[in-house]
Amino acid sequence: MSRMIMNLKGLGALSIPRVFFNMQLISKLNALKKLKNDEILHIKNRLNYYNKINDFFELKKIENVEHSKLGENLLKNTSYSFDFYKVSKYFHKDLKINKFFYDCSSEFLNTITKSRPIDSKNVILKLDSRRHFCFLNDKNDFKDKVDLAVFRGACVQQNRIDFINKFKDCKRLNLGNVNKENRSGYLSKEEQLKYKFIISLEGWDVATNLKWIMSSNSIAITPRLKYETWFMEGKLIPNEHFLLIQDDFSDILDVMDNALTNDKLVKNIIKNQNEYIQQFLNPNIEELLGILVLAKYFYYSNQMKLDNFVIELFDGI
């Protein structure tokens, strides 16, 4: 979806009186009653992963964090705000939140963010989804791809700069620093899928490309993951969902060599990564989860009451 279409859809949703969506909240939550036990368990596990709040708290202002009502600042940082509105529109406009709608590499308690350090307690929602949740239909088998690794990304962070400098002359790695000032080395996602390995390096927070790599028949190569989003990167298992390399990248060629001679490893990773993607493909479940993340937030901040069948999903009860 282009940014223009995203903005038009977002503005269209904002033009509908909020009370229309508020009236639908009960029916949205009642959808839980129609789900199977395994679906309920899946939702419960993800809900409490995204929102780890399990005690009542007083919502206070936090330094560097926006403290506002749901009905305020609806057009601020639009890619985040439009995604937020998709689920927050079902709640009353006067409910208050703490939110940080930018790349986030710090812990902010009781605050809604797109990303967080793994094992921290920021409340995660599916934000900036146009950029981050892009899945591909890869028709090329791993065996038919080029025996090389590719990387394209904006290299302004030190870890990415170090990587490019270290391997700029390596013939087995097709590397490119692609930013607003330098587009000459640009490769589309489809062109990168011609390679067996695609290098994924975190930036200000998560690596945007990890999600679409895992929807393909190529394999991601990455150092230890430090950050996570709605994709639950903290649940990914090294050498089962991606190939792990050292933080200094020193073993990347050895890791590639091992994978190229280990069919079992390759097939297992591709199978696992493609299966992992499946849980994010049901739009109804994705919306319901977003609503529940907020409902739990408002419940524990003493701003709304909920029926017991919803409260029973919360870990702290």
Side-chain angles (χ1 to χ4, degrees):
M1 183 193 302
S2 71
R3 182 168 294 278
M4 183 181 72
I5 293 175
M6 178 199 74
N7 288 339
L8 289 173
K9 285 187 174 183
L11 291 170
L14 290 176
S15 69
I16 301 172
R18 193 183 192 105
V19 65
F20 172 78
F21 298 111
N22 291 170
M23 293 169 60
Q24 298 180 44
L25 179 60
I26 293 176
S27 64
K28 291 289 182 179
L29 293 174
N30 280 338
L32 287 163
K33 299 177 180 179
K34 301 177 183 179
L35 298 179
K36 299 176 182 178
N37 289 339
D38 60 331
E39 293 173 317
I40 292 290
L41 181 60
H42 172 77
I43 285 174
K44 180 175 182 178
N45 289 338
R46 284 180 64 186
L47 162 63
N48 292 299
Y49 189 86
Y50 297 134
N51 187 336
K52 300 180 181 180
I53 298 171
N54 287 316
D55 295 297
F56 291 97
F57 66 96
E58 180 182 355
L59 188 60
K60 298 179 180 179
K61 293 183 179 180
I62 300 175
E63 186 177 2
N64 298 321
V65 168
E66 181 180 343
H67 180 80
S68 63
K69 296 179 180 179
L70 291 184
E72 298 174 340
N73 300 326
L74 297 180
L75 293 177
K76 184 178 180 179
N77 202 342
T78 54
S79 60
Y80 286 75
S81 294
F82 286 157
D83 280 340
F84 181 62
Y85 190 72
K86 289 177 183 177
V87 291
S88 66
K89 66 188 178 186
Y90 297 108
F91 299 87
H92 194 275
K93 65 182 178 61
D94 290 334
L95 293 175
K96 296 179 180 179
I97 59 168
N98 284 339
K99 62 182 180 180
F100 185 86
F101 283 2
Y102 306 94
D103 291 343
C104 183
S105 57
S106 301
E107 181 169 28
F108 295 115
L109 294 178
N110 305 325
T111 300
I112 295 167
T113 61
K114 176 206 72 179
S115 52
R116 68 188 178 195
I118 290 174
D119 294 329
S120 68
K121 294 185 178 180
N122 304 19
V123 177
I124 293 291
L125 275 179
K126 191 175 186 178
L127 303 175
D128 202 13
S129 61
R130 173 183 168 273
R131 179 167 177 257
H132 283 269
F133 280 81
C134 171
F135 299 134
L136 305 179
N137 180 19
D138 186 2
K139 298 179 180 179
N140 303 309
D141 288 337
F142 181 86
K143 63 181 175 58
D144 298 325
K145 296 172 183 266
V146 181
D147 290 353
L148 304 175
V150 63
F151 171 79
R152 287 298 184 276
C155 299
V156 293
Q157 303 87 356
Q158 194 59 51
N159 65 314
R160 292 186 176 189
I161 293 172
D162 290 344
F163 178 76
I164 289 286
N165 289 337
K166 189 168 187 173
F167 293 100
K168 60 184 178 181
D169 297 321
C170 181
K171 301 301 183 183
R172 298 183 62 190
L173 308 181
N174 182 345
L175 309 180
N177 179 4
V178 182
N179 51 44
K180 292 181 180 179
E181 293 74 32
N182 176 25
R183 305 293 289 175
S184 60
Y186 175 79
L187 281 181
S188 68
K189 296 180 180 67
E190 289 71 25
E191 291 172 313
Q192 292 181 56
L193 289 182
K194 296 176 182 178
Y195 294 77
K196 288 185 176 178
F197 308 106
I198 304 177
I199 298 159
S200 182
L201 300 178
E202 292 179 324
W204 300 124
D205 52 30
V206 298
T208 308
N209 67 350
L210 181 60
K211 302 173 185 66
W212 62 259
I213 297 170
M214 287 183 56
S215 70
S216 76
N217 295 320
S218 296
I219 294 178
I221 296 180
T222 179
R224 176 179 56 89
L225 300 176
K226 299 177 181 178
Y227 306 109
E228 64 181 350
T229 63
W230 187 262
F231 195 61
M232 302 185 293
E233 283 88 345
K235 285 185 171 290
L236 299 177
I237 302 171
N239 301 318
E240 290 192 22
H241 293 108
F242 60 87
L243 289 171
L244 179 69
I245 58 174
Q246 296 294 321
D247 287 352
D248 65 359
F249 324 115
S250 58
D251 60 342
I252 186 169
L253 299 181
D254 291 336
V255 167
M256 290 170 58
D257 285 338
N258 179 59
L260 289 171
T261 58
N262 192 332
D263 288 342
K264 183 177 180 180
L265 173 67
V266 165
K267 289 179 181 178
N268 189 55
I269 290 178
I270 293 174
K271 173 178 177 291
N272 290 339
Q273 67 183 22
N274 292 169
E275 288 179 351
Y276 189 85
I277 294 292
Q278 296 303 309
Q279 64 186 309
F280 304 102
L281 301 184
N282 185 324
N284 294 325
I285 295 297
E286 295 293 282
E287 181 190 57
L288 180 55
L289 268 166
I291 291 171
L292 287 168
V293 168
L294 284 180
K296 184 180 180 184
Y297 184 90
F298 295 131
Y299 174 77
Y300 277 119
S301 59
N302 288 300
Q303 296 188 76
M304 72 180 300
K305 298 183 183 297
L306 293 169
D307 290 328
N308 285 336
F309 75 90
V310 178
I311 298 172
E312 287 171 358
L313 293 175
F314 304 161
D315 267 351
I317 302 300

